[in-house]
Amino acid sequence: MSAFNKLNVFLLWSLSLLVALVSWRFLVLGVELSMPAMMHHMDGAKMAFYAHVFFAPVALAILPFQMSNRLRMSRQSLHRWMGRVYGVAILIAGVGGLIIAPDAATGTVAATGFFLLSTLWLVSTGLAIWFAMNKRITDHRRWIIRSAALTLAAVTLRLQMPIGVGVWGFEAAYPVIAWACWVPNLIVAEWYLSRKPALMAA
Ligand code: HEM
């Protein structure tokens, strides 16, 4: 494995697990203390918010295990079981995302970005699992790469926030980041898929 690939694998594992663990801080500290900017969801869609912030990190924490070639080859039944958990977590967190997105901080532009992201997250993951169940492994790989790119929006967003908010302030940066956290991920995934048609063949 090249040094560049090793770095990518290291970043995938460390950032996915770190962001997932930090996201569960509300379980210990409560939403008011740990996510004060999210308190507006406590009035309306409280259950949808809790479903989202509990289950979305489950999908993110599972992602590096599912992407590992070694684990996939050596523990196929574990891969299938973790795949089911990944799918159910995204079903719950994605529907939660659809419900809370219209009330996202700063208004319509951010709300639309998150709503579209939730929709694509549910569709790409649903298709990936449907293809796996029908033994269409090449199609499964293609769609799970899209799903993974969207799951990783949680990481991209948390890398972009300190820079964006530091430079432009929250009100200006947040609507841009609601799109910038996932559109480039999807472009990179499409570029990767277009470069590796042979590798994608089962
Ligand atoms: C990929 C599709 C996703 C969509 C569409 C989405 C959407 C949203 C929305 C709309 C909010 C509320 C934002 C606001 O009110 O301004 C939110 C918050 C949150 N989301 Fe997601 N999210 C996604 C993925 C994830 C993932 C994979 C994680 C895993 C870590 C995650 C963890 C959280 C957490 C922890 C919050 C509370 C905000 C905070 O971090 O303080 N989300 N999400």
Side-chain angles (χ1 to χ4, degrees), residues 83-104:
R84 287 182 190 117
V85 178
Y86 177 82
V88 171
I90 290 180
L91 179 62
I92 300 170
V95 171
L98 285 178
I99 296 169
I100 61 174
D103 199 24

Side-chain angles (χ1 to χ4, degrees), residues 25 33 35 38 44 74-75 78-80 83 87 93 109 111 125 136 156 158-159 169 172 186 191:
R25 68 195 181 278
L33 201 63
M35 303 170 177
M38 296 293 121
S74 61
R75 308 288 299 275
L78 183 67
H79 176 76
R80 283 195 201 106
V109 176
T125 311
R136 289 173 58 178
T156 327
R158 283 157 187 85
L159 295 174
L186 211 49
W191 168 79

Side-chain angles (χ1 to χ4, degrees), residues 19-20 23-26 34-35 37-38 40-41 49 52-53 56-60 93 97-98 100-106 113-119 121 150-154 157-158 170 174:
V19 170
S23 297
W24 281 317
R25 68 195 181 278
F26 76 96
S34 63
M35 303 170 177
M38 296 293 121
H40 57 289
H41 293 299
F49 178 77
H52 178 77
V53 294
V58 172
L60 185 62
L98 285 178
I100 61 174
D103 199 24
T106 70
F114 286 132
F115 192 85
L116 193 55
L117 170 58
S118 265
T119 309
W121 201 31
L150 297 175
T151 304
L152 287 170
L157 180 137
R158 283 157 187 85
F170 182 77
Y174 198 61

Side-chain angles (χ1 to χ4, degrees), residues 128-189:
I129 291 174
W130 188 82
F131 284 128
M133 287 165 66
N134 286 282
K135 310 262 181 280
R136 289 173 58 178
I137 300 306
T138 305
D139 290 322
H140 167 66
R141 285 182 183 160
R142 298 187 76 82
W143 282 98
I144 211 67
I145 283 173
R146 293 178 177 122
S147 165
L150 297 175
T151 304
L152 287 170
V155 173
T156 327
L157 180 137
R158 283 157 187 85
L159 295 174
Q160 292 171 346
M161 281 295 279
I163 303 166
V165 172
V167 176
W168 295 290
F170 182 77
E171 287 294 317
Y174 198 61
V176 177
I177 292 173
W179 292 85
C181 68
W182 62 272
V183 175
N185 293 12
L186 211 49
I187 292 172
V188 171

